[in-house]
Amino acid sequence: MNDHEFLRVYDFVDRLRTPFLGVADVEDEASWRMVHYIMRSELEGYPVTMSKLALVSGLSHGTAIRRIQDMIGKGLVERRPSPDKPKSFTLHPTEELTTLAVNYAAETKALIAEILGGRGTEEHETNYYFGAPRRGNPVIPPINLLKSRVTEGVELQFLLNDDNYFAAMRNMWSDFRNNLASARSFKLVHQNDLYREGLANGQRSVSAYDIIAIDMPWLGEFAGRGLVMPIGDMIRESGINPMDFHPSIWSTTTWQRVEYGVPIYCTIEVLACRSDLFDGAGLALPRTFEEVISAGRTFHNSSAERYGIAWNAARMPLASSFMFFLGCCGQTVLSIRRTPTGYSTENLDRQHMRPQIDSEAALTVLDYMHRLLEIAQPGALDAHWDDSCAVFLKGQSAMGYVWTMRAAQFEAEVRSAVKRRVSYVPQPSGPGGTNTSPIGGFLLCIPSNIDPKRLPLATEALAWMASREAMKEHVKNGFPVAPRFSVSADPEATGRSQLVRFVGNLGNRNLLRNWQRPPVPFYTDMERIIGEEIHDALSGGKSDRAALKDAQNRLDRIIDSTIGV
């Protein structure tokens, strides 16, 4: 349950309790007022003082103070020193109270859905979503899909990545009032499992899914193997306008000039910085490799569990980091075509798919990575994306390389210790390079072996999921997705999140890049090889030069076996 859903449930209950007080005098009304107030204030970032919480309770001052002290004694509320006023403190819910409050919201949500949404008591509350009140212009679901489910029992099946954006998409479809789908229709799996299941699905005589998500760099392999359907004509017939997408983002849908999918969201890897720490130290936000290291050394204090940077250096994320950092030095991992504005992954041939890893720029990148480890959290060489994000979320690091989609947690998570304390900058540059903003994200594709009878519904669903209205709804709920210009320019959408504004601004300034991870047919093998070799160098198993040379030679052999000599 995310913050938005939690607050909707609690606001509903708060409004429901007022008329009930006219029926019976509920003895715990004061406790309810205090719990509701302290939880809302924690989520929205407002300080709570002893006197304010006492006033909210509606009790006499002395009685209220005793009630608050009792809650502190029971481990439900804790006092923390005020950052602004010496010798003062603020009140916060403990982890125990937060857990109790979230569980209560879940139970209430199930009761409301049973009464108002036509949901049976046997259906678990996680199978549907407590959506926002329908005001203004609601997002209207596809009529044919709704009709097919109600009259024919047809329910589309989705294979998606297990992340907060696709979870929100599942919530939109499974909103307890529209009965468009159930959460069971959505299979959300880890990225590695998504890749394996996508390949396995292509070997079936009939696809188990109507729509699948693939990581953008996988497109060359999935299209080259004939696992996903060319959908250029269907896209235009559905009303999706490619001109409404940033060119760099729309280009991720094409392989050898054929369109195979629709970009459902873009996420940008950026450097997140604790603005309160940088301001307190009088430091500017870093723009170069050297400034990152210098700032990290300033803040790093491992004995106090405060680290210069939160970094994911396990093998798989390490491969992406290497390719991104190489781009920050002005070089690509493959010999793709150079253009006036960078590089192009369009219409790649054998000549432009040769590795160029064994280089001086790559040595510079490895030197930077070694120094990052010195200021990173313990165990960084085993950390994946979620691990490093959790370190930053707890307030234990001054900086963190992070995808913007994951960074949304910094403001949205109930337990975030860094709310309203984070600023973002494009990836800092290395020698000879620029501040690049590498694009990641997922494409929605239709499997080539889909049951032909289900293709029209799948096409309609794809168009709706990628529509301006649906994407705007996600942005309004705090997800920094801006592949459409019309969404990133919408004041209602951009006004809700600095991340949405940040990503939209990068797109408007044409600073988004997709060439750091070229979508070649051997991408996953390339990612695996780079991750293994760079990890060996950072862990001391090999010298830097040996690791780069071995990566170059191994990749040469893979490319020769994939595309021919």
Side-chain angles (χ1 to χ4, degrees), residues 547-561:
L548 295 176
K549 184 176 181 179
D550 288 349
Q552 177 90 8
N553 292 337
R554 291 176 64 189
L555 191 50
D556 260 324
R557 292 193 293 271
I558 288 290
I559 294 171
D560 289 343
S561 65

Side-chain angles (χ1 to χ4, degrees), residues 237-273:
E237 290 175 2
S238 71
I240 295 177
N241 179 12
M243 298 298 290
D244 193 25
F245 291 78
H246 188 281
S248 292
I249 296 172
W250 188 259
S251 68
T252 64
T253 71
T254 64
W255 172 247
Q256 304 299 44
R257 299 185 178 179
V258 177
E259 294 161 318
Y260 288 93
V262 175
I264 190 57
Y265 77 69
C266 71
T267 180
I268 316 300
E269 191 173 80
V270 298
L271 185 69
C273 302

Side-chain angles (χ1 to χ4, degrees), residues 325-347:
F325 295 160
L326 198 60
C328 292
C329 294
Q331 185 182 306
T332 56
V333 70
L334 299 177
S335 57
I336 60 178
R337 290 184 181 86
R338 194 173 187 93
T339 69
T341 58
Y343 296 89
S344 173
T345 60
E346 293 289 329
N347 203 28

Side-chain angles (χ1 to χ4, degrees), residues 69-291:
Q69 294 287 6
D70 184 58
M71 294 174 73
I72 294 173
K74 291 179 178 178
L76 300 177
V77 174
E78 63 179 347
R79 294 187 292 188
R80 298 177 191 169
S82 175
D84 304 322
K85 299 178 181 180
K87 299 182 180 179
S88 298
F89 59 87
T90 54
L91 300 179
H92 302 266
T94 62
E95 185 173 351
E96 180 180 355
L97 178 58
T98 299
T99 300
L100 291 171
V102 171
N103 289 343
Y104 176 66
E107 294 174 9
T108 305
K109 165 187 167 182
L111 178 61
I112 296 168
E114 179 188 345
I115 295 172
L116 301 179
R119 299 280 181 170
T121 56
E122 73 283 355
E123 189 167 4
H124 195 270
E125 59 91 11
T126 56
N127 282 329
Y128 47 85
Y129 184 63
F130 194 85
R134 289 173 173 167
R135 301 190 181 106
N137 297 318
V139 179
I140 302 174
I143 300 302
N144 288 335
L145 288 172
L146 183 58
K147 180 180 178 181
S148 297
R149 183 171 192 256
V150 173
T151 62
E152 303 170 26
V154 176
E155 195 165 320
L156 294 182
Q157 301 298 311
F158 302 86
L159 175 65
L160 306 173
N161 189 55
D162 188 6
D163 63 31
N164 51 357
Y165 182 83
F166 285 123
M169 177 178 288
R170 176 190 59 197
N171 292 342
M172 184 183 293
W173 280 69
S174 60
D175 187 295
F176 77 99
R177 295 159 299 186
N178 63 34
N179 281 323
L180 183 60
S182 69
R184 293 186 298 270
S185 297
F186 295 81
K187 186 173 183 178
L188 273 61
V189 297
H190 185 273
Q191 192 169 359
N192 291 338
D193 296 325
L194 180 68
Y195 172 74
R196 288 190 285 267
E197 177 61 13
L199 295 182
N201 185 64
Q203 304 306 311
R204 299 179 177 120
S205 57
V206 178
S207 173
Y209 311 99
D210 301 292
I211 292 176
I212 64 173
I214 65 171
D215 199 358
M216 288 174 175
W218 300 346
L219 181 60
E221 180 175 1
F222 275 72
R225 293 191 181 192
L227 304 180
V228 291
M229 181 180 294
I231 58 173
D233 292 339
M234 287 184 283
I235 286 173
R236 283 153 185 81
E237 290 175 2
S238 71
I240 295 177
N241 179 12
M243 298 298 290
D244 193 25
F245 291 78
H246 188 281
S248 292
I249 296 172
W250 188 259
S251 68
T252 64
T253 71
T254 64
W255 172 247
Q256 304 299 44
R257 299 185 178 179
V258 177
E259 294 161 318
Y260 288 93
V262 175
I264 190 57
Y265 77 69
C266 71
T267 180
I268 316 300
E269 191 173 80
V270 298
L271 185 69
C273 302
R274 283 282 301 278
S275 54
D276 57 330
L277 298 181
F278 276 84
D279 290 344
L283 291 178
L285 300 180
R287 298 288 178 174
T288 66
F289 284 1
E290 295 303 320
E291 290 176 1

Side-chain angles (χ1 to χ4, degrees), residues 348-398:
L348 295 179
D349 54 24
R350 185 180 299 112
Q351 174 187 353
H352 295 98
M353 286 193 278
R354 306 310 308 182
Q356 47 185 27
I357 297 175
D358 190 5
S359 66
E360 291 302 312
L363 281 172
T364 298
V365 168
L366 267 173
D367 174 69
Y368 177 54
M369 288 176 149
H370 281 293
R371 291 187 289 161
L372 282 178
L373 281 179
E374 296 172 1
I375 58 173
Q377 79 279 10
L381 284 172
D382 297 316
H384 289 267
W385 291 286
D386 288 337
D387 301 322
S388 60
C389 192
V391 171
F392 193 90
L393 193 74
K394 294 176 184 176
Q396 293 181 305
S397 68

